[in-house]
Amino acid sequence: MTAEITPDIAAKVANLSRLKLTDEELAKFTDQLSAILEHAADIEALDLEGVLPTSHPYPLKNVFRQDVVSQGATSDGNDTEKNSGEKIAAFKSSVLGVAPESEDGQFKVPPILS
Amino acid sequence: MPEKDLPHNHSKHESSKDDDFEVVIGLEVHAELATKTKLFSDSANHFGDEPNTNIDPVCLGLPGSLPVLNKRAVELSIRVGIALGSTISPCTFARKNYFYPDMPKNFQTSQYDQPLNVGGSLTLASGKKIGITRAHLEEDTGKITHIGGGGRIHDAKYCLIDYNRAGVPLLEIVSEPEISSGEEAREYVKELRAILVAVEASDGKMEEGSLRVDTNISVRKKGEVELGVRTEIKNVNSLRSLLRAVEFETKRHISAIQAGEELRQETRHFNEDTGETHPLRSKEDDMDYRYFPEPDLVPLDPDEKWVEEIREQMPALPTEKRVRLKEASGADDSVIALLVSRGVDDLVDATIQAGADAAQTIKLAEQNLSDGAGKLEADAFLKVVNMLQAGELSATQVKAVLTEVIENGVDPKQVAESMGFEAMDEGELEGLVEQVISQNPDEWERYKGGDQKLVGFFVGQMMKLTQGKADGKVVTAMLSKKAAN
């Protein structure tokens, strides 16, 4: 599959990512995306018979965590319930504090369909 | 503006009747898994908490945070896979990219071309088998509240977002397009819910959003092999809504085909108030998710030994539970299915095994355990049944006692005492019955003359006099005994 990246495709991808690009930027990214696809085409040209698809470069699988609540953001491993409550509140106010707008302990955003 | 959506039953082209069409339905059921923590991070998975208190850097997509898979979520998913006869398969996670504020990362971590559970089937009460395509693990999204414009998505002024739900583990169970009516769709979801509850994978509460159903519908002329144009309906939040949504959408498709109008493949939103569906997104905005493998998570490859361990520890499945409870109680199939779907059948079974009257236990469970059994255990339930049988509690009192025990797990006898529900002494009761009779001589004569309707009157008087403490059955027996003398 060596679909050519046209300015239209680049514009569509930009739109899906809610990026507003100037004509110059669009031209630049069209070229860059094309170069990436060309590289993929180079790999595709190799004989990969018998090579399994790889989703991850490391020979690792089945990495788990146990199902234990610890509010990982703030835990120091020896929380009392009260401490934990205070830490949650502190984390909440710090993240809401950096949001452009908030209201009633929630993130405030523009309407979705307008 | 939404286009005209009402199904027009009287179209200009009556060349084909409604009966000439058949509906083809496939369901995507999203079940929130009953874990303690989220799928990829360790903040709590708990419904109903104050907004944005169960959040952490991972579910907020903060820079530098990394997901780690919750083992319990995988285990519960494998249980569901085993229950549905799926092949538990090596799998990977993928990013589903979309730009929407319910996911601050701008992608949802899901599974795409390599899901955990592949294939399987679910058997309906009718015996019909519905194929299962797959069941994959993914994370839930945050909750958006639309403010202004009556709370409707189309007219909202702005939105508020609570990320407590973002990252909660979901199992998306996808059926084959083999369901052929709204009623069958309902049966499918009911049975799937019973399975999820039985294997303790989910609490199955549709009203809390623990179970959500996306409905794929198409209509074709009977005898045709090719599927018609498919629409997907979202926001179906109850079994009743599922039935209504399917009925509306089927009619809409048939009318469009009869009128020669073109149906669009699109996602539609079900409106609970009107019972109608409306287009949710325009075709131009159609999602292009650009899936790619999640680089931050390594492959999941459950080894056979682990799957076998899970298989050996599997709780009984609904079919087996229904047979067991039927044998123990002899109750009606519909009542048994209800108790199994509520997940209270084990308790009922254990209570009956401990010596409780089967019919009475079933009746109490049916009437009082609609939200599950809470902290009620078999020995306590046995006491309640026995107290009712012995006339120590009236029917109304039993309700109050059970509510308290379900909530707090306290001893029913103590609850009854603290509520002042002590059994009335027979002698005391008899005295009061005589008092009521002497105060109402006319009614008493009519009752003695054979007017049985007056039983209710006398029992009512007794309840008033004793503030509900009298046992209606005992009073009735006393009345008939006195009338006979």
Side-chain angles (χ1 to χ4, degrees):
Chain A
M1 184 205 73
T2 46
E4 196 193 337
I5 299 287
T6 61
D8 280 353
I9 292 175
K12 187 188 171 192
V13 174
N15 182 49
L16 287 169
S17 311
R18 302 296 185 266
L19 293 173
K20 194 174 182 179
L21 302 180
T22 63
D23 288 348
E24 291 78 48
E25 286 169 329
L26 198 58
K28 183 171 127 192
F29 290 125
T30 303
D31 288 347
Q32 288 186 1
L33 288 171
S34 297
I36 293 170
L37 275 205
E38 276 162 28
H39 176 62
D42 289 346
I43 296 172
E44 216 167 48
L46 301 172
D47 178 10
L48 298 175
E49 188 71 34
V51 180
L52 288 173
T54 309
S55 69
H56 205 278
Y58 303 113
L60 276 174
K61 59 183 186 181
N62 299 335
V63 176
F64 298 118
R65 35 173 279 275
Q66 296 304 314
D67 186 26
V68 180
V69 182
S70 75
Q71 297 291 351
T74 48
S75 170
D76 54 13
N78 48 21
D79 277 350
T80 63
E81 206 166 290
K82 182 168 166 286
N83 265 338
S84 163
E86 280 168 6
K87 283 176 181 170
I88 291 168
F91 181 65
K92 175 177 172 176
S93 67
S94 72
V95 289
L96 284 172
V98 294
E101 279 191 273
S102 67
E103 186 177 302
D104 292 338
Q106 301 199 52
F107 295 88
K108 185 174 172 182
V109 301
I112 291 158
L113 300 179
S114 53
Chain B
M1 281 292 290
E3 74 233 70
K4 197 165 180 343
D5 291 312
L6 285 171
H8 18 89
N9 290 318
H10 306 288
S11 72
K12 292 152 274 175
H13 306 275
E14 285 287 343
S15 54
S16 48
K17 296 189 298 293
D18 288 8
D19 287 357
D20 297 339
F21 295 94
E22 62 180 4
V23 61
V24 180
I25 302 166
L27 296 178
E28 295 167 16
V29 174
H30 299 75
E32 282 184 352
L33 297 174
T35 55
K36 293 190 177 69
T37 64
K38 297 192 174 180
L39 184 54
F40 301 117
S41 58
D42 53 11
S43 50
N45 166 16
H46 193 263
F47 178 80
D49 286 350
E50 195 187 318
N52 295 309
T53 49
N54 300 328
I55 53 173
D56 57 68
V58 175
C59 70
L60 290 180
L62 297 187
S65 61
L66 286 169
V68 188
L69 183 58
N70 182 340
K71 190 171 187 184
R72 178 70 177 164
V74 177
E75 202 174 296
L76 295 178
S77 303
I78 292 176
R79 280 191 186 176
V80 177
I82 292 172
L84 295 173
S86 310
T87 307
I88 315 300
S89 311
C91 56
T92 54
F93 288 91
R95 291 188 182 184
K96 178 180 181 178
N97 299 279
Y98 67 98
F99 204 96
Y100 207 68
D102 62 0
M103 264 284 139
K105 302 184 290 185
N106 294 335
F107 64 83
Q108 178 190 28
T109 307
S110 180
Q111 297 190 299
Y112 184 51
D113 51 346
Q114 296 176 296
L116 175 60
N117 296 338
V118 178
S121 66
L122 182 143
T123 307
L124 302 179
S126 64
K128 178 172 173 180
K129 264 192 183 180
I130 306 295
I132 302 288
T133 316
R134 57 188 276 164
H136 66 257
L137 258 172
E138 64 183 25
E139 59 183 337
D140 208 345
T141 59
K143 185 176 184 300
I144 298 178
T145 309
H146 304 281
I147 307 290
R152 283 182 303 272
I153 188 169
H154 290 94
D155 310 320
K157 300 278 177 287
Y158 62 94
C159 303
L160 293 180
I161 311 172
D162 169 15
Y163 289 117
N164 280 352
R165 199 181 64 185
V168 162
L170 280 183
L171 188 67
E172 179 174 335
I173 304 147
V174 183
S175 87
E176 291 287 311
E178 294 176 353
I179 298 166
S180 34
S181 70
E183 187 50 47
E184 223 171 76
R186 217 170 70 100
E187 284 297 315
Y188 172 88
V189 175
K190 261 169 81 176
E191 186 62 15
L192 184 55
R193 183 172 65 179
I195 290 172
L196 291 164
V197 171
V199 303
E200 294 157 20
S202 175
D203 66 21
K205 289 183 182 166
M206 288 188 92
E207 67 281 10
E208 291 184 4
S210 301
L211 208 68
R212 304 195 291 273
V213 183
D214 291 347
T215 312
N216 288 293
I217 288 193
S218 64
V219 165
R220 65 183 167 197
K221 275 244 174 95
K222 278 182 186 162
E224 270 174 28
V225 183
E226 212 156 301
L227 293 169
V229 175
R230 169 172 58 90
T231 55
E232 179 177 356
I233 310 169
K234 290 192 180 282
N235 195 42
V236 175
N237 299 323
S238 67
L239 292 173
R240 200 174 99 82
S241 293
L242 177 59
L243 204 61
R244 291 169 72 209
V246 167
E247 275 168 9
F248 177 88
E249 195 62 9
T250 306
K251 277 191 189 155
R252 194 182 71 86
H253 281 226
I254 292 175
S255 299
I257 297 168
Q258 285 171 335
E261 288 165 10
E262 201 184 334
L263 278 161
R264 285 201 311 199
Q265 181 173 332
E266 63 187 357
T267 303
R268 298 174 69 89
H269 182 88
F270 178 67
N271 183 326
E272 297 257 1
D273 298 331
T274 61
E276 296 172 5
T277 68
H278 300 283
L280 190 58
R281 302 179 185 118
S282 70
K283 198 175 179 183
E284 293 73 41
D285 286 336
D286 240 359
M287 289 288 154
D288 180 346
Y289 292 123
R290 295 151 292 142
Y291 282 94
F292 66 85
E294 164 59 270
D296 291 339
L297 289 164
V298 298
L300 168 62
D301 184 6
D303 62 67
E304 254 175 68
K305 196 172 144 260
W306 187 31
V307 175
E308 276 318 303
E309 270 171 30
I310 296 172
R311 193 187 303 276
E312 278 163 24
Q313 290 160 12
M314 281 279 281
L317 294 177
T319 336
E320 194 185 321
K321 283 163 154 292
R322 285 189 289 254
V323 171
R324 204 193 283 166
L325 193 56
K326 179 87 187 172
E327 280 171 4
S329 69
D332 283 351
D333 289 350
S334 61
V335 178
I336 284 173
L338 181 74
L339 296 181
V340 168
S341 72
R342 287 178 184 171
V344 300
D345 55 295
D346 283 343
L347 172 73
V348 170
D349 193 12
T351 308
I352 295 170
Q353 301 302 339
D357 178 78
Q360 196 67 263
T361 309
I362 293 274
K363 201 171 146 198
L364 280 180
E366 188 189 353
Q367 291 170 348
N368 297 290
L369 303 182
S370 53
D371 280 328
K375 293 182 176 164
L376 177 66
E377 290 184 11
D379 52 349
F381 201 12
L382 172 64
K383 278 187 196 169
V384 174
V385 176
N386 287 345
M387 282 156 83
L388 181 64
Q389 295 274 104
E392 291 169 34
L393 289 176
S394 67
T396 17
Q397 290 169 342
V398 144
K399 211 174 193 66
V401 170
L402 269 177
T403 308
E404 184 63 22
V405 181
I406 289 166
E407 190 147 322
N408 299 313
V410 275
D411 180 68
K413 289 225 189 248
Q414 281 173 14
V415 174
E417 260 171 51
S418 70
M419 288 180 165
F421 295 162
E422 279 153 277
M424 295 199 69
D425 178 56
E426 288 238 352
E428 191 188 343
L429 205 58
E430 193 152 3
L432 291 171
V433 169
E434 274 163 12
Q435 188 188 325
V436 169
I437 290 172
S438 65
Q439 283 167 353
N440 302 282
D442 293 350
E443 283 81 1
W444 180 243
E445 283 309 316
R446 276 162 57 203
Y447 173 69
K448 277 220 292 197
D451 190 348
Q452 286 298 319
K453 284 198 298 289
L454 282 159
V455 174
F457 167 77
F458 282 107
V459 172
Q461 291 297 313
M462 283 297 291
M463 289 299 173
K464 223 165 149 187
L465 200 61
T466 61
Q467 283 152 354
K469 282 188 203 173
D471 186 310
K473 267 191 237 156
V474 178
V475 171
T476 308
M478 279 182 183
L479 288 168
S480 73
K481 207 170 135 199
K482 284 193 183 298
N485 287 338

